[in-house]
Amino acid sequence: MEKKGTGNGVAAMAAYYQSFDPVAYLQYNYTPPRADFERHDSIVPWKLGCLHRAFTEGDVNGELLVDIGSGPTLYQVLSGCELFGKVVLTDFLEVNRRELRRWLQDEEGCSLDWTPYLQHVCKLEGRRPSAWTEKAARLRQVVSDILPIDVHCPQPLAPNALPSAGADCLVSSFCLESVSPDLTTFTRALGHIRGLLRPGGHLLLIGALGESYYLGGPGVKIPVVPLNEAQVCTSLKDSGYTLIRLEVYNLPEDMRVGVDDVSGVFFVKARKE
Ligand SMILES: C[S@@+](CC[C@H](N)C(=O)[O-])C[C@H]1O[C@@H](n2cnc3c(N)ncnc32)[C@H](O)[C@@H]1O
């Protein structure tokens, strides 16, 4: 992986991530109230609904879907895994890649039960919730790799990690703003991952609005670039994407559970021209 223009800020971000704790992160963000499938205003069902719609509108297609900065989570590919024959997961940290491998290889000791997530997405797809075992099998079948990535490198993945044509679609959730020291670096990272996408391919980007930090574990306060909607739109344009749609979720008071200072979430559907 080629390194370029990495300043102190990027190095400091990498240092924060050495203390990232996947078990705590999953607990903070992927259990109720943030993942309450009985509530329509819970954050995780909102994200799953956006992804379901984006993947079923008919314009997103191809063979290869790549998830940028997967972390220890799988929810972001539960809709896409039905559409794409090959899914590649990526993360900067081996602890996160190991967590993903554990679930994909159906090993003991997974830190989160993804069953309610699988059931919820089956319902969105008009399938019976009991079809979740089929979706789990489908996901395990189509994930072909879990790769190291650094979005601050002009080439974020190892050379030849992807076919030369690039990915047909990228999905990325809560990664770029929470690994970048400032807006310029966030925009540059958007440009770096654009290089992984084929012309005409789609980017589905989920991220935090108005967030200055989140907890990556007990006492692990990770700085985040606080973004607003206008900045997201400008960064996308400046890094060569055409915006198709931006949706915004405002965090209800009781979702503010003391693990970050996020005020909202954006969902973007964009295309590389
Ligand atoms: C806030 S978590 C998001 C995880 C997951 N995508 C989600 O939706 O919850 C940010 C992720 O970015 C990863 N990360 C840290 N530095 C990175 C870098 N330079 N390039 C790519 N990913 C990075 C972290 O390991 C972590 O998994």
Side-chain angles (χ1 to χ4, degrees):
M1 277 183 251
E2 186 194 347
K3 286 259 177 196
K4 193 194 105 186
T6 49
N8 283 344
V10 164
M13 292 306 300
Y16 283 112
Y17 275 96
Q18 296 317 306
S19 307
F20 186 88
D21 173 350
V23 181
Y25 178 76
L26 288 167
Q27 182 64 35
Y28 297 157
N29 293 290
Y30 295 101
T31 61
R34 291 191 167 186
D36 184 341
F37 297 100
E38 304 302 315
R39 279 179 62 172
H40 287 296
D41 64 345
S42 178
I43 179 168
V44 167
W46 182 83
K47 289 190 281 183
L48 293 175
C50 289
L51 287 163
H52 169 73
R53 277 193 300 283
F55 277 118
T56 51
E57 284 167 330
D59 54 343
V60 176
N61 47 41
E63 177 61 16
L64 176 61
L65 171 66
V66 178
D67 179 29
I68 306 292
S70 307
T73 70
L74 290 161
Y75 71 92
Q76 63 277 19
V77 292
L78 295 184
S79 290
C81 73
E82 302 291 345
L83 213 61
F84 290 88
K86 202 169 150 183
V87 175
V88 171
L89 305 177
T90 67
D91 201 72
F92 185 67
L93 294 177
E94 170 56 19
V95 278
N96 287 334
R97 298 193 299 268
R98 192 185 313 136
E99 180 69 41
L100 296 172
R101 270 197 302 275
R102 217 173 278 139
W103 187 87
L104 289 165
Q105 292 167 6
D106 209 0
E107 289 171 14
E108 298 283 301
C110 289
S111 304
L112 193 79
D113 178 8
W114 293 102
T115 308
Y117 288 72
L118 291 154
Q119 289 172 330
H120 185 79
V121 179
C122 283
K123 274 200 236 169
L124 293 177
E125 290 169 356
R127 299 155 74 180
R128 57 198 198 292
S130 59
W132 74 269
T133 53
E134 292 157 25
K135 185 177 277 297
R138 167 82 190 171
L139 185 57
R140 289 186 169 115
Q141 178 206 325
V142 296
V143 173
S144 59
D145 270 311
I146 305 171
L147 301 176
I149 189 164
D150 186 348
V151 296
H152 301 309
C153 294
Q155 262 194 46
L157 295 173
N160 306 319
L162 299 185
S164 57
D168 299 294
C169 182
L170 301 181
V171 57
S172 185
S173 52
F174 299 99
C175 176
L176 303 187
E177 71 282 10
S178 56
V179 307
S180 299
D182 50 46
L183 184 59
T184 306
T185 313
F186 169 84
T187 307
R188 197 183 298 136
L190 263 176
H192 293 160
I193 65 168
R194 183 180 178 278
L196 303 174
L197 192 58
R198 70 160 164 85
H202 287 83
L203 168 70
L204 305 180
L205 186 70
I206 299 178
L209 290 169
E211 187 176 54
S212 71
Y213 78 92
Y214 78 99
L215 294 185
V220 182
K221 207 168 170 177
I222 300 183
V224 179
V225 190
L227 296 172
N228 62 39
E229 291 163 57
Q231 287 167 328
V232 174
C233 295
T234 305
S235 289
L236 285 162
K237 189 162 171 263
D238 290 352
S239 46
Y241 298 92
T242 301
L243 181 64
I244 299 171
R245 181 167 77 245
L246 181 133
E247 296 177 51
V248 170
Y249 167 92
N250 291 309
L251 230 74
E253 210 46 55
D254 66 339
M255 301 278 156
R256 301 176 193 230
V257 290
V259 297
D260 52 43
D261 62 350
V262 68
S263 61
V265 179
F266 66 86
F267 175 85
V268 156
K269 185 176 193 180
R271 193 174 38 238
K272 171 177 172 176
E273 295 308 334

